[in-house]
């Protein structure tokens, strides 16, 4: 034997002989199991603090209060001056805020503004594996000139339409000769052409009759998206996403059960329960509650005795109580739990310190954990922007230009010019700081050596706009000098004071 036949592919080695792996296509491995994965992931999110932390920590750092648009058009391609580009960006950002800050203007349900929609879409994507955003249109009003509305659709509702005799859970189907994979319709080349959305959830108790709506990916005339699909693919030929918790579901569930059993054992040890053996029938009662035993009904005689604080329970003749004597707390409980949490953190790409929000290690170790988590956040933020924020902005901008509210010559004539007008970035929450003073000194060195710009530092570390900060500082300094003019002869320089002290 040679190569992998004597290593990971060996069928002779004792450790691998019983390891029989059989992987199928992405559709069979993922689509056939996705319904179960989604339900389990949601249940763990609602019942396990660790699972909730894995989802919410990502959501908070990826989106936070919302990713903010910062126009970054290619003015050289457009043939305009930098000053004109800045003015265009300022006007466009203000116009976009007009639409996205009002929940009634951007949300088809009128429940969330665009920043809240981002948070909801991000959480649903991570929890369920994917989420969909419908681009709806409503009549403009005097206060809202835009018709664009966003409606988020949860993963369960995008599914393959049932045919006669089929039950919920069917993932494969056809529409006019084209294959449908778990609600995703593809052409003969495998390209996604439409999505099928049900009007109710699978298994939902509703008076409505199940009905599916077919939504094309883009409009036939405009090429503008009709629906957005936010997901993270892990295999080629994959059409549906997988929950972030999919690989750690079993471990999170066992961790939850382990913690619950330890909690219950510790709770039982705190109970003070007395067991009284008599020659009469068992009459359970709770001390210090008063009442007459003669008032007890036959139902009380049939009740099972329960342990609780201050309980006094009589037993029937011949009955006895044998209680275990567990060692509480279990030896090694904390170290064992931490070992499980570290593996769960590795599975969801969140270091242990960040997952449980505990920074008891050294500064270097904690800083390393934050840096590692930040790399994951940046990657997932880029995916989220590409799948959701940027397409929504480009769709909104196309309508704004068509309405004449934003001037963008050549926008509908040349794809290159259109891409230049659509240039943007999305600023969000900055990286967590452990020692702001050390990091500020490092930032000064990076700017002085040209490794980063003031604008980069301000955006990455503080989530702000450097130019806007400079304008505000200029206004503040003018106001301060006007109200509190500097006093001549006064010296507040610490270094000079130290030199004077040495001289004295």
């Amino acid at each position: 034997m040679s190569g992998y036949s004597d290593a990971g592919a060996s069928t002779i080695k004792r450790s691998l002989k019983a390891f029989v792996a059989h992987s199928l296509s992405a559709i069979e491995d993922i689509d056939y199991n996705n319904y179960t994965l989604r339900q389990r992931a949601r249940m763990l999110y609602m019942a396990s603090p660790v699972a909730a932390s894995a989802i919410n920590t990502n959501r908070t750092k990826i989106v936070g209060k919302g990713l903010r648009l910062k126009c970054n058009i290619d003015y050289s391609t457009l043939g305009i001056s930098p000053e004109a580009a800045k003015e265009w960006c300022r006007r466009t950002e203000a116009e976009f805020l007009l639409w996205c800050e009002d929940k009634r203007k951007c949300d088809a349900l009128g429940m969330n503004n665009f920043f809240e929609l981002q948070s909801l879409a991000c959480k649903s994507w991570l929890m369920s594996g994917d989420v969909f955003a419908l681009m709806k249109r409503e009549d403009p009003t005097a206060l809202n000139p835009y018709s664009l509305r966003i409606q988020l659709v949860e993963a369960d509702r995008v599914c393959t339409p049932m045919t006669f005799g089929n039950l919920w859970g069917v993932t494969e189907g056809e529409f006019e000769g084209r294959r449908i994979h778990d609600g995703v319709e593809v052409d003969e080349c495998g390209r996604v052409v439409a999505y099928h959305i049900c009007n109710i959830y699978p298994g939902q108790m509703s008076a409505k009759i199940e009905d599916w709506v077919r939504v094309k990916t883009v409009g036939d005339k405009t090429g503008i998206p009709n629906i957005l699909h936010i997901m993270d693919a892990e295999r080629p030929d994959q059409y549906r996403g997988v929950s972030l918790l999919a690989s750690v579901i079993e471990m999170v569930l066992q961790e939850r059960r382990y913690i619950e059993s330890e909690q219950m054992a510790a709770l039982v040890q705190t109970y003070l329960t007395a067991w009284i053996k008599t020659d009469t029938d068992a009459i359970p009662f709770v001390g210090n509650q008063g009442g007459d035993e003669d008032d007890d009904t036959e139902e009380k005689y049939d009740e099972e005795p329960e342990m609780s604080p201050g309980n006094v329970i009589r037993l029937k003749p011949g009955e006895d109580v044998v209680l275990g004597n567990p060692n509480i707390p279990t030896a090694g409980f904390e170290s064992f739990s931490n070992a499980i949490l570290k593996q769960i953190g590795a599975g969801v790409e969140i270091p242990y310190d960040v997952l449980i929000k505990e920074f008891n290690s050294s500064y270097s170790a904690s800083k390393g954990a934050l840096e590692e988590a930040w790399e994951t956040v940046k990657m997932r933020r880029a995916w989220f922007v590409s799948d959701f924020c940027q397409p929504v902005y480009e769709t909104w901008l196309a309508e704004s230009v068509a309405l004449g509210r934003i001037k963008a010559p050549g926008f509908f004539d040349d794809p290159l010019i259109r891409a230049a007008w659509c240039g943007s970035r999305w600023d969000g929450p900055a990286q967590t700081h452990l020692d702001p003073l050390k990091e500020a000194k490092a930032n000064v060195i990076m700017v002085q050596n040209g490794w980063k710009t003031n604008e980069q530092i301000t955006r990455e570390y503080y989530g702000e706009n450097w130019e806007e900060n400079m304008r505000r500082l200029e206004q503040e300094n003018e106001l301060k000098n006007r109200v509190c003019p500097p006093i001549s002869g006064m010296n507040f320089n610490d270094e000079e004071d130290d030199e004077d002290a040495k001289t004295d």
Side-chain angles (χ1 to χ4, degrees):
M1 296 193 306
S2 64
Y4 284 114
S5 61
D6 193 30
S10 173
T11 58
I12 298 176
K13 288 186 175 181
R14 186 185 302 273
S15 60
L16 295 172
K17 186 180 295 185
F19 184 17
V20 181
H22 184 56
S23 179
L24 301 173
S25 68
I27 292 172
E28 293 169 295
D29 284 349
I30 295 174
D31 291 358
Y32 292 179
N33 302 297
N34 233 347
Y35 177 81
T36 301
L37 289 174
R38 281 197 294 265
Q39 312 315 310
R40 288 177 175 175
R42 288 193 195 126
M43 190 65 246
L44 287 176
Y45 172 82
M46 292 184 280
S48 169
V50 176
S53 176
I55 299 295
N56 291 333
T57 298
N58 271 281
R59 183 278 318 269
T60 300
K61 300 307 292 183
I62 293 172
V63 175
K65 295 184 295 184
L67 302 178
R68 298 272 172 169
L69 169 70
K70 180 63 179 177
C71 294
N72 188 25
I73 63 176
D74 186 356
Y75 58 85
S76 60
T77 299
L78 298 172
I80 60 177
S81 65
E83 292 73 19
K86 283 186 179 181
E87 178 58 28
W88 188 93
C89 291
R90 186 199 63 77
R91 168 60 192 256
T92 303
E93 290 167 11
E95 189 76 15
F96 186 65
L97 282 177
L98 173 69
W99 176 79
C100 70
E101 287 189 327
D102 191 334
K103 63 181 67 176
R104 293 169 297 181
K105 295 179 180 178
C106 62
D107 186 4
L109 304 182
M111 298 291 293
N112 302 284
N113 62 30
F114 185 59
F115 305 116
E116 294 165 341
L117 285 173
Q118 291 178 29
S119 177
L120 181 58
C122 184
K123 180 182 287 190
S124 185
W125 159 44
L126 297 171
M127 192 188 309
S128 302
D130 51 14
V131 67
F132 301 83
L134 279 173
M135 304 291 211
K136 288 191 169 184
R137 300 286 175 176
E138 294 183 9
D139 294 334
T141 65
L143 296 178
N144 182 19
Y146 298 102
S147 64
L148 179 63
R149 303 289 189 278
I150 308 299
Q151 180 178 345
L152 296 181
V153 178
E154 202 162 25
D156 307 63
R157 291 181 56 194
V158 177
C159 50
T160 300
M162 292 189 297
T163 57
F164 180 76
N166 286 345
L167 300 175
W168 279 108
V170 175
T171 62
E172 296 299 295
E174 284 191 6
F175 180 84
E176 297 181 354
R178 291 184 291 272
R179 296 298 300 169
I180 302 177
H181 303 296
D182 201 9
V184 182
E185 181 184 330
V186 301
D187 61 16
E188 61 277 4
C189 298
R191 183 182 180 88
V192 179
V193 296
Y195 295 89
H196 294 259
I197 304 174
C198 187
N199 61 334
I200 63 174
Y201 281 80
Q204 178 181 349
M205 300 296 294
S206 174
K208 295 181 180 179
I209 299 176
E210 296 90 355
D211 188 25
W212 279 260
V213 175
R214 180 177 180 267
V215 180
K216 292 184 177 180
T217 54
V218 297
D220 293 331
K221 296 181 179 179
T222 63
I224 293 176
N226 292 323
I227 185 172
L228 304 177
H229 187 183
I230 299 98
M231 64 167 283
D232 167 22
E234 60 185 40
R235 293 178 61 179
D237 300 323
Q238 177 182 343
Y239 296 105
R240 296 300 302 269
V242 179
S243 170
L244 177 68
L245 302 176
S247 63
V248 296
I249 283 177
E250 182 179 4
M251 187 161 289
V252 172
L253 180 61
Q254 298 290 47
E255 186 270 345
R256 173 175 171 262
R257 288 171 174 170
Y258 177 57
I259 297 295
E260 285 182 342
S261 65
E262 290 292 332
Q263 287 178 331
M264 181 55 67
L267 184 62
V268 167
Q269 290 294 308
T270 66
Y271 287 169
L272 179 62
T273 301
W275 306 86
I276 301 176
K277 295 180 63 176
T278 69
D279 292 334
T280 60
D281 289 333
I283 307 176
F285 67 94
V286 179
N288 299 328
Q289 286 192 352
D292 189 350
E293 293 183 10
D294 296 335
D295 296 336
D296 293 334
T297 60
E298 292 186 359
E299 285 78 1
K300 284 193 174 182
Y301 294 104
D302 297 331
E303 290 179 359
E304 289 291 337
E306 293 185 0
M307 295 184 67
S308 61
N311 226 12
V312 179
I313 301 176
R314 294 183 180 181
L315 300 179
K316 295 179 181 180
E319 292 183 339
D320 199 357
V321 177
V322 179
L323 298 178
N325 186 27
N327 295 321
I328 303 299
T330 304
F333 167 74
E334 184 175 1
S335 59
F336 181 69
S337 297
N338 291 345
I340 294 178
L341 292 174
K342 288 177 181 178
Q343 294 185 60
I344 294 173
V348 297
E349 291 190 272
I350 302 179
Y352 165 82
D353 309 60
V354 181
L355 180 65
I356 65 171
K357 309 296 188 297
E358 179 182 302
F359 298 94
N360 293 334
S361 305
S362 64
Y363 171 83
S364 299
S366 298
K367 180 66 174 174
L370 288 172
E371 293 282 357
E372 193 67 26
W374 186 243
E375 292 301 316
T376 301
V377 167
K378 289 193 296 183
M379 175 185 67
R380 289 178 176 149
R381 181 183 293 178
W383 293 343
F384 186 72
V385 166
S386 176
D387 284 355
F388 183 66
C389 298
Q390 186 66 20
V392 169
Y393 167 63
E394 292 181 8
T395 302
W396 170 87
L397 184 59
E399 181 178 5
S400 185
V401 173
L403 292 173
R405 296 186 64 86
I406 298 294
K407 306 298 181 183
F411 188 90
F412 296 107
D413 301 329
D414 187 340
L416 179 62
I417 299 298
R418 183 174 187 148
W421 285 118
C422 290
S424 65
R425 72 167 191 264
W426 295 82
D427 297 337
Q431 186 176 356
T432 303
H433 303 290
L434 285 181
D435 191 332
L437 181 59
K438 287 182 179 179
E439 293 169 9
K441 291 179 178 178
N443 291 337
V444 170
I445 295 174
M446 285 190 284
V447 172
Q448 289 176 344
N449 289 275
W451 299 330
K452 283 192 175 183
T453 65
N454 283 308
E455 189 272 336
Q456 285 178 297
I457 296 294
T458 307
R459 183 179 76 251
E460 294 174 3
Y461 281 79
Y462 309 104
E464 299 290 341
N465 186 304
W466 183 79
E467 291 186 2
E468 182 63 28
N469 287 350
M470 290 299 101
R471 284 193 291 268
R472 291 177 181 174
L473 282 174
E474 183 180 23
Q475 295 172 357
E476 288 179 359
N477 289 332
E478 289 178 358
L479 179 60
K480 183 176 67 175
N481 291 333
R482 186 170 66 251
V483 177
C484 301
I487 302 174
S488 59
M490 296 295 292
N491 177 28
F492 296 99
N493 190 308
D494 293 338
E495 294 181 359
E496 293 184 8
D497 288 345
D498 292 342
E499 291 298 326
D500 293 341
K502 291 179 182 178
T503 304
D504 293 341

